[in-house]
Amino acid sequence: MSDRWYGGGVSPWTRGAGRRLLDAVRVLAAERPIHQISVAALCHRAGLTRDTFYRYAARPVDVLARAMDDDLPSAEALLALIAPPPAANPLEAAGRAVLEHTDRNKAIYQHALHPHLDSALREVLIGRLETLLLGYLQANPESVPTIGDTTPSAAETRRLAVFTAAGTVGAIENWLAQERPEPVDRMLTLLFSAAAPWWRRRGGSTASRPGTDDRSSGPRVAEV
């Protein structure tokens, strides 16, 4: 997201007016829904003019998406959390980092649900997870499942990552919509149990294998 927002180089969001907008939107969005926060209110909180605001964003939700993007661990940081073999759940630490971000910003995300997150906020979460999952599959091609008896193309492999990322964000929305969301560890376990088993198992396949019963290996845990 960052390069698209400011064209690469040093981000104007890290200092001055940009930083003041990020700080202001986090305070306001923790108090009320982002769609109820006007440009005027955000500018007043940040001590900036409307002209200055429009140099950075078109809508307050775009500023909030930028703030959440900054708070999330970068794609590189998440990929660095992938556990090497023989870890049974290589994506566990990365998945926990994403859930800890949402839990840390729970008030902001809960206020932003109506009943789903704005597309700008969903894009931040889905995009980060998609990059993580696709990076994992590219680094561990043996984990990519066969489709029938063929290996998925690059486009199909990306679709596997997109499907899992979008489903995970949908589950996160439902989690945050609860009056008392379960603890992060419980939510992490739930996501692991719902995801396809090949996210944690080498040489997975969508085809059934004679003489193989996945239930015999115990609870199936897969990453977000």
Side-chain angles (χ1 to χ4, degrees):
M1 172 178 285
S2 299
D3 288 344
R4 191 187 73 239
W5 282 50
Y6 58 88
V10 178
S11 170
W13 295 95
T14 61
R15 61 189 186 279
R19 176 51 54 188
R20 287 160 66 183
L21 281 172
L22 295 180
D23 292 342
V25 80
R26 288 177 64 94
V27 172
L28 294 178
E31 298 172 349
R32 58 185 185 271
I34 185 63
H35 66 273
Q36 293 180 8
I37 299 172
S38 65
V39 172
L42 183 52
C43 288
H44 177 75
R45 177 78 194 194
L48 300 169
T49 65
R50 292 172 68 94
D51 286 345
T52 299
F53 172 86
Y54 287 116
R55 293 175 195 163
Y56 287 83
R59 308 172 298 164
V61 71
D62 296 328
V63 181
L64 182 59
R66 175 74 240 185
M68 295 299 95
D69 182 72
D70 278 1
D71 189 78
L72 263 171
S74 67
E76 293 78 9
L78 290 176
L79 287 168
L81 290 174
I82 294 175
N89 305 308
L91 292 166
E92 181 176 7
R96 178 175 283 105
V98 173
L99 289 183
E100 287 176 344
H101 156 80
T102 55
D103 187 60
R104 183 167 58 248
N105 296 283
K106 186 186 304 180
I108 291 175
Y109 280 117
Q110 287 179 327
H111 281 307
L113 292 170
H114 53 94
H116 299 288
L117 295 172
D118 181 277
S119 59
L121 293 171
R122 284 180 58 85
E123 183 181 348
V124 170
L125 292 171
I126 291 176
R128 196 61 50 83
L129 286 169
E130 179 187 337
T131 300
L132 166 67
L133 297 173
L134 186 59
Y136 172 75
L137 293 179
Q138 290 172 339
N140 299 273
E142 72 280 359
S143 293
V144 178
T146 55
I147 307 301
D149 59 356
T150 63
T151 300
S153 66
E156 290 172 331
T157 299
R158 186 177 193 90
R159 227 163 286 148
L160 295 172
V162 171
F163 176 84
T164 303
T168 298
V169 172
I172 288 173
E173 288 179 321
N174 181 267
W175 175 51
L176 294 171
Q178 307 307 307
E179 184 177 348
R180 293 183 178 179
E182 300 90 345
V184 165
D185 283 348
R186 175 66 176 177
M187 180 59 176
L188 192 64
T189 300
L190 180 66
L191 290 174
F192 288 174
S193 66
W198 46 263
W199 284 111
R200 69 181 293 267
R201 188 176 60 193
R202 296 169 66 89
S205 173
T206 58
S208 60
R209 298 178 178 181
T212 299
D213 184 351
D214 285 342
R215 291 172 297 179
S216 64
S217 60
R220 297 191 303 187
V221 182
E223 283 62 35
V224 293

